[in-house]
Amino acid sequence: MSVLKLKLDQDQLVEDFFEDAWLAGIISQAKDYQLCWQLNKQLGFDFRVNNSLEINLTKHRRGFFFTVYEHQELTKSAAHYFYNNHCKAEFLLPELKHVDYLWLIKGNYYQAPDVKALVEQCRKAELVQMASLLDLRDIRNRINLIF
């Protein structure tokens, strides 16, 4: 009896997930819910926690759960995801230990000038210490962002 094994092409999965996507890193000492509340006011968004998107990583036989907030712009066919980059002593993206939160913008509505304007507006929020666009190609563990 032969067994058919299917292999998941992780490179293709990552490429498909991050097609038409932008990523920003945010530094803030605020709690995620406080920062999202302020960004909602600043940007006119409606970030809400989405427990079904929560990211579960297992390291050293321990489970770590990273909260993901979501905002959908249906008229623009764009989705915004706000990730907490740390849980206890572990990081969702270990190469970005200095970054507290990650903001992923998916959809082909936003172009480079639009995203830069959004990040600039984000910087104006009182609880944001720093916000900057990141190059997705430079992030080794970006597969961790896939839900």
Side-chain angles (χ1 to χ4, degrees):
M1 180 173 172
S2 66
V3 176
L4 178 64
K5 291 185 179 183
L6 299 176
K7 184 179 177 188
L8 181 64
D9 184 357
Q10 288 188 342
D11 293 334
Q12 187 63 45
L13 175 71
V14 169
E15 186 177 318
D16 290 346
F17 185 83
F18 292 108
E19 184 179 0
D20 294 326
W22 300 88
L23 185 67
I26 299 172
I27 297 175
S28 174
Q29 298 302 310
K31 301 281 187 195
D32 53 5
Y33 62 88
Q34 293 171 321
L35 184 57
C36 280
W37 178 79
Q38 194 171 73
L39 289 177
N40 284 342
K41 284 178 49 181
Q42 183 76 28
L43 302 171
F45 284 1
D46 188 26
F47 276 117
R48 294 185 182 263
V49 70
N50 187 336
N51 292 326
S52 65
L53 298 180
E54 184 177 69
I55 302 201
N56 179 11
L57 291 182
T58 303
K59 293 183 180 181
H60 313 293
R61 289 189 254 158
R62 291 182 57 204
F64 298 95
F65 300 92
F66 297 89
T67 307
V68 179
Y69 289 76
E70 178 182 31
H71 168 67
Q72 294 284 336
E73 289 185 280
L74 300 176
T75 58
K76 297 178 181 176
S77 297
H80 302 262
Y81 301 99
F82 188 83
Y83 299 79
N84 200 331
N85 191 38
H86 51 78
C87 174
K88 300 176 186 168
E90 286 297 329
F91 294 89
L92 186 60
L93 296 179
E95 62 268 30
L96 297 175
K97 290 181 180 179
H98 61 285
V99 173
D100 298 306
Y101 301 102
L102 302 159
W103 176 14
L104 180 69
I105 303 167
K106 289 184 57 134
N108 59 5
Y109 177 82
Y110 288 102
Q111 301 302 313
D114 305 317
V115 173
K116 288 177 184 175
L118 281 174
V119 171
E120 193 62 39
Q121 280 186 289
C122 176
R123 283 187 192 124
K124 294 177 183 176
E126 185 179 328
L127 295 175
V128 174
Q129 293 173 325
M130 197 270 312
S132 178
L133 277 175
L134 304 171
D135 190 345
L136 281 164
R137 295 171 297 203
D138 295 339
I139 300 173
R140 294 185 314 272
N141 295 299
R142 62 182 179 225
I143 196 165
N144 291 352
L145 297 174
I146 298 176
F147 37 81

mmCIF file of all heavy atoms in Angstrom, residues 96-130:
data_model
loop_
_atom_site.group_PDB
_atom_site.id
_atom_site.type_symbol
_atom_site.label_atom_id
_atom_site.label_comp_id
_atom_site.label_asym_id
_atom_site.label_seq_id
_atom_site.Cartn_x
_atom_site.Cartn_y
_atom_site.Cartn_z
ATOM 1 N N LEU A 96 13.304 41.637 15.481
ATOM 2 C CA LEU A 96 12.812 42.985 15.756
ATOM 3 C C LEU A 96 12.452 43.127 17.239
ATOM 4 O O LEU A 96 11.351 43.555 17.591
ATOM 5 C CB LEU A 96 11.586 43.298 14.887
ATOM 6 C CG LEU A 96 11.818 43.322 13.385
ATOM 7 C CD1 LEU A 96 10.509 43.515 12.635
ATOM 8 C CD2 LEU A 96 12.803 44.419 13.014
ATOM 9 N N LYS A 97 13.379 42.790 18.103
ATOM 10 C CA LYS A 97 13.112 42.814 19.545
ATOM 11 C C LYS A 97 12.834 44.215 20.069
ATOM 12 O O LYS A 97 12.175 44.370 21.089
ATOM 13 C CB LYS A 97 14.288 42.199 20.309
ATOM 14 C CG LYS A 97 14.401 40.723 20.106
ATOM 15 C CD LYS A 97 15.540 40.128 20.889
ATOM 16 C CE LYS A 97 15.590 38.633 20.621
ATOM 17 N NZ LYS A 97 16.668 37.971 21.322
ATOM 18 N N HIS A 98 13.322 45.218 19.400
ATOM 19 C CA HIS A 98 13.106 46.595 19.845
ATOM 20 C C HIS A 98 11.720 47.123 19.454
ATOM 21 O O HIS A 98 11.291 48.158 19.936
ATOM 22 C CB HIS A 98 14.187 47.505 19.270
ATOM 23 C CG HIS A 98 14.195 47.535 17.768
ATOM 24 N ND1 HIS A 98 14.689 46.496 17.004
ATOM 25 C CD2 HIS A 98 13.742 48.458 16.891
ATOM 26 C CE1 HIS A 98 14.545 46.784 15.727
ATOM 27 N NE2 HIS A 98 13.978 47.975 15.626
ATOM 28 N N VAL A 99 11.007 46.417 18.593
ATOM 29 C CA VAL A 99 9.685 46.834 18.123
ATOM 30 C C VAL A 99 8.618 46.177 19.003
ATOM 31 O O VAL A 99 8.630 44.973 19.202
ATOM 32 C CB VAL A 99 9.488 46.442 16.635
ATOM 33 C CG1 VAL A 99 8.071 46.706 16.182
ATOM 34 C CG2 VAL A 99 10.479 47.176 15.756
ATOM 35 N N ASP A 100 7.698 46.999 19.515
ATOM 36 C CA ASP A 100 6.646 46.482 20.386
ATOM 37 C C ASP A 100 5.439 45.948 19.618
ATOM 38 O O ASP A 100 4.836 44.952 20.012
ATOM 39 C CB ASP A 100 6.178 47.578 21.349
ATOM 40 C CG ASP A 100 7.294 48.050 22.260
ATOM 41 O OD1 ASP A 100 7.911 47.197 22.921
ATOM 42 O OD2 ASP A 100 7.558 49.265 22.291
ATOM 43 N N TYR A 101 5.098 46.625 18.524
ATOM 44 C CA TYR A 101 3.908 46.249 17.760
ATOM 45 C C TYR A 101 4.207 46.276 16.264
ATOM 46 O O TYR A 101 5.088 47.000 15.808
ATOM 47 C CB TYR A 101 2.749 47.222 18.057
ATOM 48 C CG TYR A 101 2.382 47.237 19.514
ATOM 49 C CD1 TYR A 101 2.802 48.272 20.345
ATOM 50 C CD2 TYR A 101 1.646 46.204 20.084
ATOM 51 C CE1 TYR A 101 2.484 48.281 21.689
ATOM 52 C CE2 TYR A 101 1.331 46.205 21.429
ATOM 53 C CZ TYR A 101 1.754 47.242 22.226
ATOM 54 O OH TYR A 101 1.446 47.249 23.559
ATOM 55 N N LEU A 102 3.451 45.482 15.526
ATOM 56 C CA LEU A 102 3.579 45.416 14.072
ATOM 57 C C LEU A 102 2.222 45.714 13.453
ATOM 58 O O LEU A 102 1.196 45.226 13.930
ATOM 59 C CB LEU A 102 4.046 44.014 13.654
ATOM 60 C CG LEU A 102 5.374 43.588 14.267
ATOM 61 C CD1 LEU A 102 5.526 42.085 14.235
ATOM 62 C CD2 LEU A 102 6.511 44.265 13.545
ATOM 63 N N TRP A 103 2.242 46.510 12.401
ATOM 64 C CA TRP A 103 1.013 46.885 11.706
ATOM 65 C C TRP A 103 1.148 46.420 10.260
ATOM 66 O O TRP A 103 1.975 46.929 9.511
ATOM 67 C CB TRP A 103 0.823 48.384 11.799
ATOM 68 C CG TRP A 103 -0.344 48.960 11.074
ATOM 69 C CD1 TRP A 103 -1.423 48.309 10.546
ATOM 70 C CD2 TRP A 103 -0.558 50.341 10.808
ATOM 71 N NE1 TRP A 103 -2.286 49.190 9.976
ATOM 72 C CE2 TRP A 103 -1.790 50.443 10.118
ATOM 73 C CE3 TRP A 103 0.162 51.499 11.083
ATOM 74 C CZ2 TRP A 103 -2.297 51.662 9.696
ATOM 75 C CZ3 TRP A 103 -0.353 52.708 10.669
ATOM 76 C CH2 TRP A 103 -1.571 52.784 9.987
ATOM 77 N N LEU A 104 0.344 45.438 9.893
ATOM 78 C CA LEU A 104 0.355 44.879 8.542
ATOM 79 C C LEU A 104 -0.843 45.414 7.781
ATOM 80 O O LEU A 104 -1.979 45.330 8.258
ATOM 81 C CB LEU A 104 0.302 43.347 8.602
ATOM 82 C CG LEU A 104 0.312 42.616 7.267
ATOM 83 C CD1 LEU A 104 1.674 42.759 6.589
ATOM 84 C CD2 LEU A 104 -0.022 41.153 7.460
ATOM 85 N N ILE A 105 -0.582 45.978 6.607
ATOM 86 C CA ILE A 105 -1.633 46.497 5.739
ATOM 87 C C ILE A 105 -1.644 45.622 4.491
ATOM 88 O O ILE A 105 -0.640 45.514 3.795
ATOM 89 C CB ILE A 105 -1.374 47.971 5.353
ATOM 90 C CG1 ILE A 105 -1.250 48.831 6.603
ATOM 91 C CG2 ILE A 105 -2.460 48.480 4.420
ATOM 92 C CD1 ILE A 105 -0.704 50.224 6.356
ATOM 93 N N LYS A 106 -2.792 44.988 4.239
ATOM 94 C CA LYS A 106 -2.920 44.094 3.085
ATOM 95 C C LYS A 106 -3.968 44.636 2.129
ATOM 96 O O LYS A 106 -4.985 45.159 2.553
ATOM 97 C CB LYS A 106 -3.336 42.689 3.540
ATOM 98 C CG LYS A 106 -2.244 41.938 4.269
ATOM 99 C CD LYS A 106 -2.665 40.530 4.604
ATOM 100 C CE LYS A 106 -3.043 39.806 3.359
ATOM 101 N NZ LYS A 106 -2.547 38.497 3.172
ATOM 102 N N GLY A 107 -3.699 44.474 0.858
ATOM 103 C CA GLY A 107 -4.626 44.913 -0.177
ATOM 104 C C GLY A 107 -3.917 45.829 -1.147
ATOM 105 O O GLY A 107 -2.961 46.500 -0.805
ATOM 106 N N ASN A 108 -4.403 45.869 -2.366
ATOM 107 C CA ASN A 108 -3.717 46.669 -3.384
ATOM 108 C C ASN A 108 -4.234 48.096 -3.475
ATOM 109 O O ASN A 108 -3.836 48.843 -4.350
ATOM 110 C CB ASN A 108 -3.787 45.983 -4.750
ATOM 111 C CG ASN A 108 -5.208 45.768 -5.218
ATOM 112 O OD1 ASN A 108 -6.153 46.201 -4.584
ATOM 113 N ND2 ASN A 108 -5.352 45.075 -6.322
ATOM 114 N N TYR A 109 -5.125 48.504 -2.568
ATOM 115 C CA TYR A 109 -5.633 49.878 -2.584
ATOM 116 C C TYR A 109 -4.534 50.876 -2.227
ATOM 117 O O TYR A 109 -4.381 51.907 -2.870
ATOM 118 C CB TYR A 109 -6.818 50.030 -1.621
ATOM 119 C CG TYR A 109 -7.320 51.449 -1.543
ATOM 120 C CD1 TYR A 109 -8.187 51.947 -2.507
ATOM 121 C CD2 TYR A 109 -6.919 52.297 -0.516
ATOM 122 C CE1 TYR A 109 -8.638 53.253 -2.454
ATOM 123 C CE2 TYR A 109 -7.369 53.610 -0.452
ATOM 124 C CZ TYR A 109 -8.221 54.085 -1.427
ATOM 125 O OH TYR A 109 -8.649 55.384 -1.371
ATOM 126 N N TYR A 110 -3.765 50.565 -1.185
ATOM 127 C CA TYR A 110 -2.755 51.498 -0.692
ATOM 128 C C TYR A 110 -1.455 51.377 -1.480
ATOM 129 O O TYR A 110 -0.937 50.283 -1.675
ATOM 130 C CB TYR A 110 -2.467 51.253 0.791
ATOM 131 C CG TYR A 110 -3.587 51.697 1.687
ATOM 132 C CD1 TYR A 110 -4.470 50.785 2.229
ATOM 133 C CD2 TYR A 110 -3.784 53.049 1.971
ATOM 134 C CE1 TYR A 110 -5.514 51.198 3.050
ATOM 135 C CE2 TYR A 110 -4.821 53.472 2.780
ATOM 136 C CZ TYR A 110 -5.679 52.530 3.320
ATOM 137 O OH TYR A 110 -6.706 52.953 4.120
ATOM 138 N N GLN A 111 -0.951 52.525 -1.915
ATOM 139 C CA GLN A 111 0.341 52.599 -2.584
ATOM 140 C C GLN A 111 1.345 53.240 -1.630
ATOM 141 O O GLN A 111 0.974 53.707 -0.552
ATOM 142 C CB GLN A 111 0.214 53.408 -3.881
ATOM 143 C CG GLN A 111 -0.790 52.823 -4.865
ATOM 144 C CD GLN A 111 -0.475 51.388 -5.261
ATOM 145 O OE1 GLN A 111 0.654 51.063 -5.589
ATOM 146 N NE2 GLN A 111 -1.471 50.516 -5.198
ATOM 147 N N ALA A 112 2.613 53.295 -2.013
ATOM 148 C CA ALA A 112 3.676 53.780 -1.125
ATOM 149 C C ALA A 112 3.369 55.148 -0.495
ATOM 150 O O ALA A 112 3.509 55.299 0.724
ATOM 151 C CB ALA A 112 5.009 53.802 -1.862
ATOM 152 N N PRO A 113 2.934 56.157 -1.251
ATOM 153 C CA PRO A 113 2.658 57.455 -0.615
ATOM 154 C C PRO A 113 1.517 57.390 0.415
ATOM 155 O O PRO A 113 1.561 58.059 1.439
ATOM 156 C CB PRO A 113 2.263 58.365 -1.784
ATOM 157 C CG PRO A 113 2.777 57.690 -3.000
ATOM 158 C CD PRO A 113 2.805 56.233 -2.704
ATOM 159 N N ASP A 114 0.505 56.552 0.130
ATOM 160 C CA ASP A 114 -0.617 56.401 1.055
ATOM 161 C C ASP A 114 -0.163 55.764 2.369
ATOM 162 O O ASP A 114 -0.562 56.195 3.455
ATOM 163 C CB ASP A 114 -1.719 55.522 0.439
ATOM 164 C CG ASP A 114 -2.198 56.029 -0.898
ATOM 165 O OD1 ASP A 114 -2.381 57.262 -1.029
ATOM 166 O OD2 ASP A 114 -2.382 55.204 -1.813
ATOM 167 N N VAL A 115 0.670 54.739 2.263
ATOM 168 C CA VAL A 115 1.150 54.038 3.455
ATOM 169 C C VAL A 115 2.050 54.958 4.273
ATOM 170 O O VAL A 115 1.956 54.999 5.504
ATOM 171 C CB VAL A 115 1.882 52.730 3.060
ATOM 172 C CG1 VAL A 115 2.520 52.083 4.269
ATOM 173 C CG2 VAL A 115 0.921 51.768 2.379
ATOM 174 N N LYS A 116 2.897 55.713 3.595
ATOM 175 C CA LYS A 116 3.753 56.667 4.315
ATOM 176 C C LYS A 116 2.911 57.700 5.061
ATOM 177 O O LYS A 116 3.228 58.073 6.185
ATOM 178 C CB LYS A 116 4.715 57.352 3.343
ATOM 179 C CG LYS A 116 5.809 56.428 2.858
ATOM 180 C CD LYS A 116 6.714 57.098 1.853
ATOM 181 C CE LYS A 116 7.734 56.098 1.338
ATOM 182 N NZ LYS A 116 8.571 56.645 0.284
ATOM 183 N N ALA A 117 1.823 58.145 4.451
ATOM 184 C CA ALA A 117 0.927 59.106 5.109
ATOM 185 C C ALA A 117 0.253 58.478 6.332
ATOM 186 O O ALA A 117 0.111 59.131 7.369
ATOM 187 C CB ALA A 117 -0.112 59.613 4.119
ATOM 188 N N LEU A 118 -0.166 57.212 6.225
ATOM 189 C CA LEU A 118 -0.770 56.527 7.366
ATOM 190 C C LEU A 118 0.215 56.382 8.521
ATOM 191 O O LEU A 118 -0.131 56.609 9.682
ATOM 192 C CB LEU A 118 -1.273 55.135 6.956
ATOM 193 C CG LEU A 118 -2.593 55.061 6.223
ATOM 194 C CD1 LEU A 118 -2.867 53.632 5.766
ATOM 195 C CD2 LEU A 118 -3.733 55.552 7.098
ATOM 196 N N VAL A 119 1.452 56.013 8.201
ATOM 197 C CA VAL A 119 2.478 55.860 9.241
ATOM 198 C C VAL A 119 2.776 57.214 9.874
ATOM 199 O O VAL A 119 2.972 57.313 11.088
ATOM 200 C CB VAL A 119 3.750 55.187 8.672
ATOM 201 C CG1 VAL A 119 4.890 55.209 9.673
ATOM 202 C CG2 VAL A 119 3.442 53.758 8.251
ATOM 203 N N GLU A 120 2.783 58.260 9.069
ATOM 204 C CA GLU A 120 3.005 59.612 9.595
ATOM 205 C C GLU A 120 1.882 60.007 10.550
ATOM 206 O O GLU A 120 2.133 60.588 11.609
ATOM 207 C CB GLU A 120 3.104 60.610 8.437
ATOM 208 C CG GLU A 120 3.624 61.950 8.829
ATOM 209 C CD GLU A 120 5.038 61.919 9.382
ATOM 210 O OE1 GLU A 120 5.877 61.165 8.873
ATOM 211 O OE2 GLU A 120 5.303 62.652 10.356
ATOM 212 N N GLN A 121 0.647 59.681 10.203
ATOM 213 C CA GLN A 121 -0.481 59.943 11.104
ATOM 214 C C GLN A 121 -0.350 59.128 12.384
ATOM 215 O O GLN A 121 -0.667 59.612 13.468
ATOM 216 C CB GLN A 121 -1.805 59.594 10.421
ATOM 217 C CG GLN A 121 -2.312 60.633 9.467
ATOM 218 C CD GLN A 121 -3.679 60.232 8.970
ATOM 219 O OE1 GLN A 121 -3.808 59.283 8.192
ATOM 220 N NE2 GLN A 121 -4.698 60.932 9.425
ATOM 221 N N CYS A 122 0.109 57.906 12.262
ATOM 222 C CA CYS A 122 0.304 57.034 13.425
ATOM 223 C C CYS A 122 1.327 57.644 14.378
ATOM 224 O O CYS A 122 1.156 57.604 15.600
ATOM 225 C CB CYS A 122 0.758 55.652 12.954
ATOM 226 S SG CYS A 122 1.144 54.489 14.263
ATOM 227 N N ARG A 123 2.381 58.222 13.831
ATOM 228 C CA ARG A 123 3.429 58.845 14.656
ATOM 229 C C ARG A 123 2.877 59.978 15.523
ATOM 230 O O ARG A 123 3.417 60.269 16.578
ATOM 231 C CB ARG A 123 4.529 59.420 13.772
ATOM 232 C CG ARG A 123 5.460 58.414 13.215
ATOM 233 C CD ARG A 123 6.630 59.092 12.498
ATOM 234 N NE ARG A 123 7.345 58.091 11.741
ATOM 235 C CZ ARG A 123 7.583 58.160 10.445
ATOM 236 N NH1 ARG A 123 7.191 59.218 9.751
ATOM 237 N NH2 ARG A 123 8.230 57.190 9.831
ATOM 238 N N LYS A 124 1.822 60.612 15.076
ATOM 239 C CA LYS A 124 1.246 61.740 15.798
ATOM 240 C C LYS A 124 0.447 61.320 17.027
ATOM 241 O O LYS A 124 0.122 62.153 17.862
ATOM 242 C CB LYS A 124 0.362 62.566 14.860
ATOM 243 C CG LYS A 124 1.147 63.249 13.760
ATOM 244 C CD LYS A 124 0.232 63.986 12.821
ATOM 245 C CE LYS A 124 1.035 64.602 11.673
ATOM 246 N NZ LYS A 124 0.171 65.247 10.682
ATOM 247 N N ALA A 125 0.136 60.028 17.131
ATOM 248 C CA ALA A 125 -0.604 59.541 18.297
ATOM 249 C C ALA A 125 0.264 59.706 19.541
ATOM 250 O O ALA A 125 1.470 59.458 19.506
ATOM 251 C CB ALA A 125 -1.006 58.088 18.108
ATOM 252 N N GLU A 126 -0.342 60.138 20.616
ATOM 253 C CA GLU A 126 0.380 60.458 21.846
ATOM 254 C C GLU A 126 1.158 59.270 22.418
ATOM 255 O O GLU A 126 2.264 59.429 22.921
ATOM 256 C CB GLU A 126 -0.619 60.959 22.883
ATOM 257 C CG GLU A 126 0.001 61.440 24.167
ATOM 258 C CD GLU A 126 -1.046 61.938 25.142
ATOM 259 O OE1 GLU A 126 -2.072 62.466 24.700
ATOM 260 O OE2 GLU A 126 -0.818 61.778 26.344
ATOM 261 N N LEU A 127 0.603 58.067 22.326
ATOM 262 C CA LEU A 127 1.239 56.890 22.918
ATOM 263 C C LEU A 127 2.323 56.273 22.031
ATOM 264 O O LEU A 127 3.021 55.362 22.459
ATOM 265 C CB LEU A 127 0.180 55.833 23.250
ATOM 266 C CG LEU A 127 -0.834 56.233 24.319
ATOM 267 C CD1 LEU A 127 -1.904 55.157 24.468
ATOM 268 C CD2 LEU A 127 -0.141 56.490 25.651
ATOM 269 N N VAL A 128 2.455 56.748 20.803
ATOM 270 C CA VAL A 128 3.449 56.200 19.868
ATOM 271 C C VAL A 128 4.765 56.943 20.038
ATOM 272 O O VAL A 128 4.829 58.155 19.892
ATOM 273 C CB VAL A 128 2.953 56.301 18.410
ATOM 274 C CG1 VAL A 128 4.042 55.878 17.437
ATOM 275 C CG2 VAL A 128 1.702 55.456 18.217
ATOM 276 N N GLN A 129 5.807 56.199 20.349
ATOM 277 C CA GLN A 129 7.135 56.799 20.458
ATOM 278 C C GLN A 129 7.821 56.850 19.099
ATOM 279 O O GLN A 129 8.557 57.781 18.800
ATOM 280 C CB GLN A 129 7.994 56.008 21.443
ATOM 281 C CG GLN A 129 7.484 56.102 22.862
ATOM 282 C CD GLN A 129 8.250 55.184 23.792
ATOM 283 O OE1 GLN A 129 8.666 54.091 23.415
ATOM 284 N NE2 GLN A 129 8.429 55.630 25.020
ATOM 285 N N MET A 130 7.602 55.803 18.289
ATOM 286 C CA MET A 130 8.207 55.739 16.969
ATOM 287 C C MET A 130 7.393 54.792 16.098
ATOM 288 O O MET A 130 6.876 53.793 16.584
ATOM 289 C CB MET A 130 9.652 55.227 17.082
ATOM 290 C CG MET A 130 10.522 55.488 15.878
ATOM 291 S SD MET A 130 10.588 54.243 14.571
ATOM 292 C CE MET A 130 10.858 52.724 15.364
#
